[in-house]
Amino acid sequence: MRDLVAALGLALAIEGILLASFPDAMKRAMMEAAASPRDRMRLVGVVSAVLGVLVVWAARRLAS
């Protein structure tokens, strides 16, 4: 559970840094994402989730 909270905190920190550093680019990216077809968004979400799980799995496996 501690790792999950740490990962969520890290994600928020990275998103905050991007929003603070590049507000116009982030706004454009959000508008483009909102205009994307639902199926494409779903595919990107699934691929991102799978890649995230693989990264965490690899990090844990290599760390031990």
Side-chain angles (χ1 to χ4, degrees):
M1 185 65 163
R2 190 177 348 159
D3 290 341
L4 176 62
V5 172
L8 290 173
L10 182 59
L12 285 172
I14 291 170
E15 186 174 342
I17 289 168
L18 289 172
L19 284 169
S21 301
F22 310 105
D24 292 333
M26 290 297 292
K27 189 174 182 178
R28 277 193 308 275
M30 287 185 218
M31 289 190 312
E32 287 178 18
S36 295
R38 182 178 296 167
D39 290 340
R40 180 179 291 160
M41 290 179 73
R42 185 170 286 127
L43 177 64
V44 169
V46 169
V47 170
S48 296
V50 169
L51 286 174
V53 169
L54 289 174
V55 166
V56 170
W57 175 81
R60 290 196 172 272
R61 184 170 170 99
L62 295 173
S64 45

